[in-house]
């Protein structure tokens, strides 16, 4: 719009002297404020609504064996970090905070970031139960509200498939890391059968309602293979990329929730490790 005036009369949007044109965007009224939203913003609103909803029960089937799960992650961190020195780390999409808490319990300085404040409340509760300090920050994985080049280790679990713009997330990981810093991505194949066909329904009714128009626009919701993530990392300034299946964690999941494991996993979760290329 150039010139002119937008007037609100009751619930009616009126124009004085100009024509209002919207292309690929929508107008929404929130608390009396008119907002212009594009398709990405609308998708993220639905994504946030779903994960706020899921915060009440997400991963609770494993709550009784949190100590066992934490030992698995701590063993993995000891293996891949190869240092006894205190590091600065950030888990993006921390959810209930299990990985962040595991890392913090080893004496590291850890920040957990999540789009959902409800999820962050769960992470804070879990951290209190385990007696560890984790800084928790509300933020978008594609626009992380943390400073450049301050972290040794950036990690995420089951996040990448949820993102409308995974390229932006990888760029954000690179921005946060020091030169030579390590990125760890854990994900899996969530919406397909072993023969490659798509599952009719992989989640609950709320998922189907909110994600029906979102999932087709998520680049890594389908065929989220370790090879694809490896290629993505290499194309965004990372080297020494490797990946493997997390067999021990897969066994933990199957042992403690056999029906959920059978419904959700056609193969073990995969872990990709990549190092930020030094700029000097």
């Amino acid at each position: 719009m150039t010139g002119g005036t937008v007037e609100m009369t009751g619930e009616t949007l009126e124009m004085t002297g100009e024509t209002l044109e919207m292309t690929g965007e929508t107008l929404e009224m929130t608390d009396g404020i008119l907002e212009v939203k594009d398709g990405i913003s609308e998708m993220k609103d639905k994504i946030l609504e779903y994960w706020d909803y899921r915060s009440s029960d997400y991963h609770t089937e494993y709550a009784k064996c949190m100590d066992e799960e934490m030992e698995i992650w701590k063993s993995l961190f000891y293996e891949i970090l190869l240092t006894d020195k205190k590091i600065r780390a950030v888990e993006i999409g921390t959810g209930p905070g299990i990985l962040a808490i595991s890392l913090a319990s080893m004496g590291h300085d850890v920040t957990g970031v999540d789009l959902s404040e409800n999820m962050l409340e769960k992470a804070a509760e879990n951290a209190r139960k385990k007696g560890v300090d984790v800084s928790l920050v509300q933020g978008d994985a594609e626009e992380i509200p943390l400073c450049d080049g301050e972290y040794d280790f950036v990690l995420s679990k089951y996040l990448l498939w949820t993102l409308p713009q995974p390229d932006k997330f990888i760029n954000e990981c690179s921005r946060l890391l020091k030169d030579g810093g390590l990125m760890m991505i854990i994900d899996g194949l969530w919406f397909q059968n072993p023969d490659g066909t798509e599952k009719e329904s992989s989640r609950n009714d709320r998922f189907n309602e909110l994600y029906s128009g979102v999932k087709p626009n998520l680049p890594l919701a389908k065929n989220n293979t370790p090879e694809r993530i490896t290629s993505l990392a290499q194309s965004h300034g990372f080297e020494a990329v490797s990946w493997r299946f997390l067999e021990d964690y897969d066994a933990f999941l199957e042992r403690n929730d056999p029906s959920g494991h059978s419904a959700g996993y056609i193969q073990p979760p995969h872990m990709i490790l990549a190092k930020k290329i030094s700029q000097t």
Side-chain angles (χ1 to χ4, degrees), residues 46 110 132 137 143 157 160 212 220 242 249 256:
K46 293 184 183 297
V110 185
V132 300
V137 177
E143 294 181 67
K157 174 175 174 278
L160 205 58
S212 60
L220 290 171
S242 64
Y249 187 59
N256 289 287

Side-chain angles (χ1 to χ4, degrees), residues 106-142:
M106 297 166 64
H108 298 300
D109 181 352
V110 185
T111 298
V113 177
D114 205 280
L115 185 63
S116 167
E117 291 188 5
N118 290 357
M119 281 290 193
L120 292 174
E121 289 175 5
K122 293 293 182 181
E125 179 183 348
N126 286 331
R128 285 193 297 270
K129 287 179 180 177
K130 296 305 174 185
V132 300
D133 292 324
V134 176
S135 298
L136 296 170
V137 177
Q138 194 277 331
D140 185 337
E142 295 175 359

Side-chain angles (χ1 to χ4, degrees), residues 19 34 51 54 65 69 71 87 92 123 127 137 142 159 180 198 239-240 258 262 275 277 280:
T19 300
L34 188 67
W51 291 107
R54 279 300 308 281
C65 45
E69 182 175 4
E71 286 304 313
I87 65 166
I92 305 164
V137 177
E142 295 175 359
L159 170 71
E198 188 168 0
E239 62 180 356
S262 176
K275 183 180 292 186
I277 296 174
T280 58

Side-chain angles (χ1 to χ4, degrees), residues 13 17 33-34 40 56 64 68 70 95 97 99 108 120 136 154 167 170 179 206 212 214 226 263:
L13 179 66
I33 299 173
L34 188 67
I40 295 292
S56 63
K64 65 183 183 299
E68 180 187 357
M70 286 178 60
L99 273 72
H108 298 300
L120 292 174
L136 296 170
V154 172
D167 290 89
I170 300 295
D179 285 353
R206 192 67 169 153
S212 60
V214 172

